[in-house]
Amino acid sequence: MKSRVAVVDDDDLLRDTLVDYLSSQGFEVIGLESGDALRGAISKASPECVILDLVMPEEDGLSVLRWLRGVSQVPVIMLTSADGPA
């Protein structure tokens, strides 16, 4: 059985690149564009790992992480292109 990974990033190119790469490495990957999309996906099937963008336009990754910690202890890898402290 493949491990399920959720990639949450508002940047289509980066998200698609990660989804393609992780899929080629044998993971079952779902690409999501926002925290709201992650909420909907988790209600259907919980991932075993979340790769979460820190800087998103509607809701930042830290807000999404706070919500996620309230419902799950799934491991999270924070992804960011920030060039300084957040």
Side-chain angles (χ1 to χ4, degrees), residues 66-85:
R66 279 190 288 276
W67 166 81
L68 188 58
R69 282 295 163 254
V71 299
S72 174
Q73 288 301 310
V74 62
V76 176
I77 298 171
M78 297 302 291
L79 176 67
T80 184
S81 61
D83 57 3

Side-chain angles (χ1 to χ4, degrees), residues 1-4 25-28 45-48:
M1 186 162 114
K2 294 181 177 184
S3 295
R4 184 178 304 119
Q25 298 303 306
F27 294 94
E28 178 184 334
S46 186
E48 294 171 55

